[in-house]
Amino acid sequence: MPGPLEGVRVLEFTEIIAGPVGGMFLADFGADVIKIEPPWGDPWRSTSPGQAGGPNESRGFIAVNRGKRSIRVDLTKPGGKSVVHKLVESADVIVLNHRPDVPAKLGIDYETLSAINPRIIYCEVTAYGRMGPNRELPGYDVIVQAMTGMMTSEGHDVDGLPRSVNVSPVSDMAAGYAIMMSVSAALYYRERTGKGQKIENSLLQNSLRMQQSSLTQLDDYPTPRQAWRAEDLPALKEAGVGFSDIYSAYREKRNNPEFAAYYQPYETSDWVISIGCLSNPLRQKMANALGVDDIRFEPGYDRESPESIKFAENLILTYRKVFLGKTTDEWMTILNDAGVPCGPMRFIEEMVYDEQALANGMIVETTHSIAGNTRGPGPLSNMSESPMEITRGAPAFGEHTNEILQEAGYSAAEVEALKGNEDVF
């Protein structure tokens, strides 16, 4: 597919979400991505929600594997290893996300593949990184969200227990972005130096980066929750206090709700509108537009005073009442005229036909050879000199085995021999 990475060939040994998303982004930017699957296929083909095109063509798989070609290879057999090593000779990038012990067993570890092609860029995603006590453990997004505090910070609870951010597997998606960015940087480095390299990334690393603000600690100026972690949490655990009580104490140690009223959704007379004011000039514009007197804009305002904190909490209730007095469209007109950032609440399913998204190429159509016409998010960027055009849908199970092998120099007879020996499928 056209794009700034046109001519770059990627061999992808990935499954489920994180690795496939990274490969999909590289394909969106123009790379030729070959998904090398085991005989049984990527488990996400059959275990993710929505069997749209048969037992091996799930909606979840189609969503994160757009733009690739698929070949099925048995890496446990010498013939399968030989095929992959031949493909590596002309490849630029390797992407994989197996447990740390798996690549060497399959003959696709960095040491083996870089010996075949020293210019190879080898990008590996693990759950927790190559060092440390958890380095050999398997892991998934829901586990990493729990381990990094994303769940307890989110405040989405069911029956008293934190639940994951489930609109999207945050750590997996972030790892996909990291793959694309890291590989692109490594390609640029190779362009300047001629050297390939190994890239290591992890779900843990990306889950932490997605919580950049909360994780940042100024040692001399701790947040209420950081102080609680250092002073109260160890004592509570030592005393055997249960999780639910500790979690409640943690939730109470929130930051000052100073300007929460200006950054949240409100119900209107007919729907819901969301407001986003992250500066005092914008907050002042909103207060003026709604005819509300906010004492925090007065000279001498003390943000930490009990009066100010109480006012901040009550202000949300005030705005809730005011917003109920008009329709969403009426508020959109009033707030847009006042220069206040706002937007109506929608469901994600509506966005497939959203006028704004369509006007900017944010929704594209592709064709799956079994499931048919597919709509989904467009490329991450629009580029003037190297425009991207997504023309290929997700691959059917082993759809391109013959095509890929013939491109690699295998004759039709040799391809049939490999299939007969079940080295490839």
Side-chain angles (χ1 to χ4, degrees):
M1 295 191 294
L5 295 183
E6 187 173 7
V8 172
R9 172 162 288 187
V10 179
L11 302 184
E12 183 194 296
F13 303 88
T14 72
E15 58 184 33
I16 313 296
I17 300 176
V21 168
M24 180 181 67
F25 286 155
L26 291 169
D28 284 354
F29 276 81
D32 175 19
V33 179
I34 298 174
K35 187 177 181 73
I36 300 176
E37 302 186 59
W40 51 89
D42 181 339
W44 208 232
R45 284 186 175 275
S46 57
T47 58
S48 74
Q51 296 301 310
N56 294 312
E57 310 298 340
S58 71
R59 185 184 309 276
F61 177 87
I62 291 171
V64 297
N65 284 281
R66 178 181 68 196
K68 306 173 187 177
R69 297 190 287 170
S70 168
I71 177 173
R72 296 166 63 196
V73 181
D74 189 346
L75 282 167
T76 67
K77 303 180 72 171
K81 281 189 175 68
S82 176
V83 166
V84 165
H85 290 172
K86 185 172 181 63
L87 293 176
V88 169
E89 293 175 4
S90 59
D92 297 288
V93 178
I94 305 293
V95 177
L96 72 166
N97 67 331
H98 295 294
R99 287 195 325 268
D101 62 313
V102 170
K105 294 178 181 177
L106 297 179
I108 54 172
D109 54 294
Y110 177 65
E111 289 71 22
T112 298
L113 300 190
S114 62
I116 297 171
N117 181 351
R119 286 172 53 84
I120 204 74
I121 292 164
Y122 185 98
C123 185
E124 176 185 54
V125 178
T126 60
Y128 308 110
R130 277 289 189 172
M131 308 296 288
N134 296 336
R135 62 185 180 276
E136 298 293 338
L137 298 179
Y140 290 96
D141 182 86
V142 67
I143 301 171
V144 173
Q145 283 197 36
M147 291 177 64
T148 61
M150 187 176 289
M151 285 190 192
T152 49
S153 297
E154 179 67 12
H156 174 51
D157 305 341
V158 177
D159 297 329
L161 289 179
R163 290 294 187 264
S164 63
V165 179
N166 56 18
V167 67
S168 177
V170 180
S171 305
D172 282 327
M173 293 300 294
Y177 279 85
I179 290 169
M180 185 271 293
M181 291 186 288
S182 300
V183 166
S184 297
L187 285 168
Y188 177 67
Y189 180 81
R190 192 183 70 178
E191 184 72 17
R192 292 189 295 117
T193 68
K195 296 180 180 179
Q197 62 181 297
K198 182 180 182 182
I199 301 167
E200 295 180 3
N201 212 292
S202 70
L203 300 186
L204 178 65
Q205 187 173 7
N206 284 282
S207 185
L208 294 175
R209 286 306 301 266
M210 292 298 289
Q211 302 176 82
Q212 183 88 25
S213 180
S214 296
L215 187 62
T216 298
Q217 176 175 303
L218 308 182
D219 290 346
D220 294 332
Y221 304 95
T223 67
R225 284 181 172 175
Q226 288 169 348
W228 176 86
R229 175 214 63 210
E231 299 165 7
D232 297 348
L233 181 58
L236 291 170
K237 287 186 173 181
E238 181 68 24
V241 177
F243 173 80
S244 60
D245 291 332
I246 292 179
Y247 184 43
S248 295
Y250 174 76
R251 295 290 301 278
E252 290 174 1
K253 296 296 180 181
R254 57 179 177 164
N255 289 319
N256 187 331
E258 185 178 15
F259 290 114
Y262 296 95
Y263 202 79
Q264 64 173 285
Y266 288 98
E267 187 175 0
T268 66
S269 65
D270 67 341
W271 196 241
V272 176
I273 190 170
S274 188
I275 310 297
C277 300
L278 286 176
S279 66
N280 277 341
L282 288 176
R283 294 164 187 148
Q284 182 74 74
K285 287 180 179 181
M286 175 174 158
N288 293 341
L290 273 70
V292 172
D293 179 32
D294 189 335
I295 65 170
R296 280 92 49 80
F297 299 128
E298 297 175 0
Y301 154 63
D302 179 6
R303 61 179 295 180
E304 300 295 339
S305 71
E307 177 191 14
S308 295
I309 294 175
K310 185 66 174 177
F311 179 86
E313 294 171 342
N314 289 333
L315 184 60
I316 295 175
L317 301 178
T318 299
Y319 277 136
R320 285 177 182 170
K321 293 178 182 178
V322 174
F323 273 106
L324 285 171
K326 297 182 185 297
T327 67
T328 296
D329 284 345
E330 288 172 332
W331 281 123
M332 288 289 296
T333 298
I334 292 170
L335 295 175
N336 281 327
D337 287 347
V340 176
C342 60
M345 187 72 73
R346 293 200 179 114
F347 298 102
I348 183 59
E349 290 78 8
E350 296 179 88
M351 298 306 295
V352 173
Y353 301 102
D354 179 73
E355 181 181 6
Q356 183 67 27
L358 290 170
N360 288 278
M362 297 175 185
I363 302 295
V364 297
E365 294 185 46
T366 56
T367 301
H368 188 275
S369 61
I370 296 175
N373 193 61
T374 302
R375 302 173 194 267
L380 293 172
S381 308
N382 294 326
M383 305 181 72
S384 64
E385 301 303 317
S386 53
M388 292 169 278
E389 183 181 357
I390 297 173
T391 57
R392 188 192 296 275
F397 193 26
E399 179 179 356
H400 306 96
T401 295
N402 286 17
E403 175 183 305
I404 292 167
L405 291 178
Q406 289 170 5
E407 287 178 1
Y410 289 94
S411 67
E414 288 172 325
V415 171
E416 290 307 311
L418 288 167
K419 287 187 170 183
N421 197 41
E422 296 188 341
D423 295 318
V424 302
F425 299 84

